[in-house]
Amino acid sequence: MSADPRFFRSLCLQGAVQLSVLNQAVIFFLLMLVGIYARRTSLITPENQQKLSGIVVNIAYPAIILSGALAEGERIEGTALLEATAAAFATLALAAAGGVLISRLLRIEARMRGVFVVMTIFTNIGFMGVPMVRGIYGADALIYMTVFLIPINLFFFSYAVAAIRGDKLTLGEGRFLAVLRQLCNNGMIACVLAILFYFVDLPVPAPIRGTVEMLGSMTAPLAMLLMGSFLVDVNWIEGLRDLRSIVYCVLKMIVLPVVAVRLMGLFTENAVLLGVCMAALATPCGNVIALLTAMYNRKAYPSSVKTIAVTTILSVVTMPIAFRLAGLG
């Protein structure tokens, strides 16, 4: 009786998912330890945390957005581009609906509700999802990831800060100009430029491209160092003992991604595209959110740090499960 080659391919894919997730989780954990050391030795202090967070949010993270659009290589066009763009917006819509539903089910208090919705929508796709997708599907799959990151970051910089602040998204008297001022930030400018450079395919001199790539490469290490420094201020171990935190992780990192990817699987058979959708939903809460709460909602940032830390730790277990239940591993 001969073995079914599909069975071995499935085992190899599941092993690739687990190894890629484990590698990234270990790297993030070690960087957070360095951040804890930096805080304990006063290299990072409460006084300079906000300044360093500003460097990540206003310089490094916008650069990583631009670097994806400036990268040389194959690009998606035609029907594939429309399918990928539709999948990106569908993923955002499902994540937003899931975030609202989860916050209601868990009875999250009003001042934290916007933060939890943002944490559910915006994951560590840029820092953890990109290397994971590359490790599983190869470098060519990053074309889909680039298409995904543009609308995700566009929505992030237009919505996340307002939600974390608790602003009401209305356009009453004087509010329209306030919204425009919020949208005029470095992240949104980077998104607009990324769209321009990606779709027009404008030539960019190598020194400029290299500078943008180097600035973007600072994002993950700086953000994780700051995450480690934030952990000194909060008792995040309580998060691992808190039933509501565990339930949130299960709903956000297993139930929501599996349901969403299964639904999108009804409309496409592109396994790579579905894998990118899974990476956008099942990765841990984005660590940049902790930096934003530190800047704009200090009352909410201890809870956000604990939640991000718990999802990062548990992702080693939850992500392979999510990929498997969604039929991708």
Side-chain angles (χ1 to χ4, degrees), residues 126-156:
F127 309 144
M128 194 170 186
V130 169
M132 184 190 69
V133 167
R134 179 169 185 161
I136 298 170
Y137 299 106
D140 290 344
L142 295 183
I143 304 168
Y144 289 98
M145 187 64 80
T146 300
V147 174
F148 256 69
L149 285 173
I150 291 173
I152 286 174
N153 285 302
L154 192 68
F155 189 41
F156 177 80

Side-chain angles (χ1 to χ4, degrees), residues 18 21 253-254 311-322:
Q18 293 172 337
V21 172
M253 301 181 69
I254 297 179
T311 57
T312 300
I313 293 168
L314 295 183
S315 66
V316 180
V317 176
T318 60
M319 287 185 65
I321 292 174

Side-chain angles (χ1 to χ4, degrees), residues 11 43 52 78 93 127 132 143 159 200 220 225 231 245 282 295 325:
L11 285 180
L43 294 173
L52 291 172
F127 309 144
M132 184 190 69
I143 304 168
Y159 167 74
V200 181
L225 287 177
L231 292 179
S245 294
M295 294 170 66
L325 292 178

Side-chain angles (χ1 to χ4, degrees), residues 71 89 105-106 142 168 177 185 193 208 255 271 277 303 312:
F89 281 103
L105 288 174
L106 297 181
L142 295 183
K168 293 183 179 180
L177 291 177
N185 55 62
L193 290 176
I208 294 178
V255 177
C277 294
S303 295
T312 300

Side-chain angles (χ1 to χ4, degrees), residues 184-245:
C184 292
N185 55 62
N186 292 356
M188 182 61 73
I189 293 170
C191 289
V192 173
L193 290 176
I195 294 172
L196 177 65
F197 282 109
Y198 185 85
F199 292 109
V200 181
D201 197 14
L202 295 174
V204 178
I208 294 178
R209 187 170 60 249
T211 300
V212 172
E213 289 175 355
M214 289 187 70
L215 285 172
S217 67
M218 297 192 307
T219 309
L222 270 180
M224 296 313 298
L225 287 177
L226 284 165
M227 272 293 298
S229 72
F230 291 156
L231 292 179
V232 175
D233 297 327
V234 298
N235 188 1
W236 59 270
I237 295 178
E238 288 183 358
L240 293 172
R241 301 172 181 168
D242 181 38
L243 180 60
R244 189 167 71 168
S245 294

Side-chain angles (χ1 to χ4, degrees), residues 38-291:
R39 179 60 192 279
R40 295 291 190 189
T41 56
S42 298
L43 294 173
I44 298 178
T45 66
E47 289 72 29
N48 65 25
Q49 274 179 338
Q50 191 166 355
K51 296 292 185 181
L52 291 172
S53 298
I55 291 174
V56 175
V57 173
N58 295 307
I59 296 177
Y61 195 62
I64 205 174
I65 297 170
L66 266 179
S67 64
L70 298 181
E72 295 180 327
E74 185 181 353
R75 293 171 184 262
I76 300 177
E77 297 178 350
T79 304
L81 176 61
L82 290 175
E83 184 181 44
T85 303
F89 281 103
T91 300
L92 277 172
L94 290 169
V100 172
L101 182 60
I102 291 171
S103 66
R104 297 286 183 182
L105 288 174
L106 297 181
R107 298 180 180 179
I108 303 298
E109 54 269 30
R111 70 180 178 88
M112 281 296 299
R113 195 167 295 152
V115 176
F116 267 81
V117 172
V118 168
M119 287 193 296
T120 304
I121 299 173
F122 303 106
T123 64
N124 237 334
I125 180 174
F127 309 144
M128 194 170 186
V130 169
M132 184 190 69
V133 167
R134 179 169 185 161
I136 298 170
Y137 299 106
D140 290 344
L142 295 183
I143 304 168
Y144 289 98
M145 187 64 80
T146 300
V147 174
F148 256 69
L149 285 173
I150 291 173
I152 286 174
N153 285 302
L154 192 68
F155 189 41
F156 177 80
F157 282 103
S158 61
Y159 167 74
V161 171
I164 288 171
R165 281 176 172 167
D167 296 344
K168 293 183 179 180
L169 301 179
T170 58
L171 296 179
E173 182 179 356
R175 181 58 183 158
F176 181 72
L177 291 177
V179 171
L180 286 181
R181 283 195 295 270
Q182 281 186 7
L183 295 181
C184 292
N185 55 62
N186 292 356
M188 182 61 73
I189 293 170
C191 289
V192 173
L193 290 176
I195 294 172
L196 177 65
F197 282 109
Y198 185 85
F199 292 109
V200 181
D201 197 14
L202 295 174
V204 178
I208 294 178
R209 187 170 60 249
T211 300
V212 172
E213 289 175 355
M214 289 187 70
L215 285 172
S217 67
M218 297 192 307
T219 309
L222 270 180
M224 296 313 298
L225 287 177
L226 284 165
M227 272 293 298
S229 72
F230 291 156
L231 292 179
V232 175
D233 297 327
V234 298
N235 188 1
W236 59 270
I237 295 178
E238 288 183 358
L240 293 172
R241 301 172 181 168
D242 181 38
L243 180 60
R244 189 167 71 168
S245 294
I246 300 301
V247 173
Y248 172 78
C249 288
V250 172
L251 292 175
K252 178 251 176 291
M253 301 181 69
I254 297 179
V255 177
L256 175 60
V258 170
V259 171
V261 170
R262 287 287 188 182
L263 283 174
M264 285 188 281
L266 299 175
F267 302 96
T268 180
E269 296 181 354
N270 188 330
V272 176
L273 182 57
L274 291 175
V276 173
C277 294
M278 175 60 74
L281 292 168
T283 40
C285 301
N287 46 5
V288 175
I289 297 168
L291 310 187

